[in-house]
């Protein structure tokens, strides 16, 4: 090989080596740049929020989520939230849905956290999710459950006191027992009943403190249940008013020619069609 050809071949090989080395360095720089951009994105809170939202909306997340329930030891139990708080949060969210002028998803997210969690701080999705779970999940129903006026325990006590008055008014028709007709009974309870013209009306109460409140005859076992429902029981109790002896009166005309009660002189506007006197409560006996 002549010297000119040798140098030409060496130059060509050198150029090829330089090109290959340049391409290698270029790929390395591109990969390094991509890695740096990726790291910078992961450190950017705005990108992190967008990534979490995209992940939550992905079909794969939806498919996996139901199969991975939160273990009990990791589950955060939300604080008991009363109905007044639920209604207040709902009212505020409905108001904001109509009147809030939010220009970005982050602003809506921040407002949701402010309303639901009642604080404005750095967005905390876990606290917000826990709070929303507490707002959505109904409170367990127990004696403290309220309709904003009375609790179940209060209504239970009121019913016991009122029925004890009914029993006291008809002691010859009422009874109580600590066992059903078949010998069974719920723990710590007794049954009290009254015989009405249409059949039984019965209730169960706790022995402590209600046993002594019902002053009526005690039976070893209650009479056999006649199959009445709660609706029938209260309807039958209402018909006991027909067995109560009430004072009666009749209607007369006073000196001014107005119809009035003969007992108390009440001249109620609609006295002509009244079945009882609104003043003294006497039953109006129809003449003739």
């Amino acid at each position: 090989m002549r010297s000119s050809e040798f140098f030409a071949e060496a130059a060509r090989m050198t150029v090829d080596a330089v090109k290959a080395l340049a391409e290698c360095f270029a790929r390395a720089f591109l990969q390094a740049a991509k890695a740096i951009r990726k790291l910078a994105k992961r450190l950017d809170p705005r990108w992190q929020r967008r990534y979490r939202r995209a992940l939550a909306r992905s079909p794969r997340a939806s498919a996996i989520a139901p199969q991975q329930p939160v273990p009990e030891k990791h589950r955060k139990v939300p604080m008991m939230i009363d109905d007044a708080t639920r209604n207040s949060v709902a009212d505020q969210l409905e108001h904001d849905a109509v009147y809030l002028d939010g220009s970005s998803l982050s602003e809506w997210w921040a407002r949701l956290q402010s309303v639901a969690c009642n604080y404005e701080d750095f967005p905390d999705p876990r606290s917000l999710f826990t709070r929303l779970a507490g707002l959505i999940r109904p409170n367990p129903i127990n004696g403290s459950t309220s309709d904003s006026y009375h609790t179940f325990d209060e209504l239970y006590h009121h019913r016991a006191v009122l029925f004890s008055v009914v029993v006291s008014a008809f002691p010859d028709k009422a009874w109580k027992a600590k066992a059903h007709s078949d010998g069974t009974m719920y723990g710590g309870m007794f049954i009290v009943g009254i015989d009405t013209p249409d059949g039984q009306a019965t209730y169960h109460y706790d022995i402590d403190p209600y046993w002594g409140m019902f002053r009526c005859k005690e039976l070893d076992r209650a009479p056999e249940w006649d199959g009445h429902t709660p609706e029938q029981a209260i309807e039958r109790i209402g018909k006991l008013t027909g067995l109560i002896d009430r004072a009666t009166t009749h209607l007369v005309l006073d000196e001014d020619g107005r119809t009035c009660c003969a007992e108390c002189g009440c001249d109620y506007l609609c006295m002509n069609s009244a079945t009882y006197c609104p003043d003294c409560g006497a039953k109006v006996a129809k003449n003739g």
Side-chain angles (χ1 to χ4, degrees):
M1 180 181 293
R2 291 179 299 181
S3 60
S4 58
E5 294 177 353
F6 173 79
F7 285 116
E9 182 67 19
R12 185 182 63 78
M13 293 177 62
T14 301
V15 170
D16 291 342
V18 170
K19 287 182 178 180
L21 187 61
E23 291 177 359
C24 181
F25 275 113
R27 284 196 299 270
F29 279 120
L30 285 175
Q31 291 177 358
K34 286 175 65 176
I36 292 173
R37 285 197 299 270
K38 197 171 184 179
L39 178 61
K41 285 174 66 177
R42 288 191 175 276
L43 294 177
D44 184 1
R46 292 176 298 178
W47 182 89
Q48 293 177 7
R49 290 195 293 271
R50 289 196 296 269
Y51 175 76
R52 286 196 295 267
R53 288 196 294 268
L55 183 62
R57 291 194 297 264
S58 68
R60 182 174 180 274
S62 301
I64 293 176
Q67 302 173 9
Q68 297 180 345
V70 179
E72 288 295 331
K73 64 179 181 179
H74 297 309
R75 186 188 298 274
K76 290 186 177 180
V77 180
M79 295 180 62
M80 299 291 286
I81 301 174
D82 56 36
D83 290 337
T85 301
R86 296 175 193 271
N87 291 331
S88 175
V89 171
D91 290 343
Q92 187 61 56
L93 290 177
E94 288 177 346
H95 176 275
D96 290 350
V98 176
Y99 298 106
L100 182 64
D101 185 18
S103 59
S104 66
L105 184 61
S106 61
E107 291 180 13
W108 286 96
W109 177 274
R111 182 54 183 164
L112 176 60
Q113 174 176 272
S114 174
V115 174
C117 300
N118 197 27
Y119 67 82
E120 297 182 9
D121 201 349
F122 186 80
D124 182 5
R126 296 185 186 277
S127 296
L128 177 58
F129 276 37
T130 301
R131 178 67 170 180
L132 291 176
L135 289 167
I136 295 170
R137 181 180 294 115
N139 290 333
I141 297 176
N142 51 38
S144 299
T145 301
S146 172
D147 63 352
S148 300
Y149 298 98
H150 301 284
T151 65
F152 280 172
D153 284 341
E154 288 174 340
L155 294 176
Y156 181 87
H157 178 69
H158 288 191
R159 188 188 71 172
V161 173
L162 293 173
F163 192 52
S164 71
V165 174
V166 175
V167 167
S168 298
F170 299 94
D172 58 324
K173 298 181 181 299
W175 47 265
K176 62 182 179 180
K178 294 182 180 178
H180 296 133
S181 59
D182 60 0
T184 62
M185 181 48 66
Y186 309 119
M189 303 188 78
F190 70 100
I191 184 172
V192 57
I194 192 166
D195 297 321
T196 76
D198 292 340
Q200 298 173 351
T202 60
Y203 292 107
H204 290 85
Y205 294 103
D206 294 324
I207 293 177
D208 183 19
Y210 296 112
W211 176 261
M213 182 182 293
F214 292 90
R215 299 169 184 173
C216 56
K217 60 188 173 192
E218 300 180 17
L219 304 178
D220 293 333
R221 292 192 178 189
E224 186 175 354
W225 177 50
D226 65 0
H228 63 273
T229 64
E231 292 79 10
Q232 290 173 325
I234 195 63
E235 182 181 355
R236 292 173 180 181
I237 291 172
K239 291 182 178 180
L240 288 173
T241 56
L243 303 180
I244 299 176
D245 292 331
R246 296 172 58 186
T248 58
T249 185
H250 59 279
L251 303 178
V252 297
L253 295 177
D254 62 12
E255 57 187 17
D256 296 325
R258 292 175 299 196
T259 303
C260 64
C261 173
E263 295 295 326
C264 66
C266 171
D267 57 355
Y268 179 63
L269 183 62
C270 299
M271 207 61 187
N272 276 326
S273 59
T275 58
Y276 69 94
C277 175
D279 262 8
C280 66
K283 182 179 179 180
V284 174
K286 298 300 180 181
N287 296 327

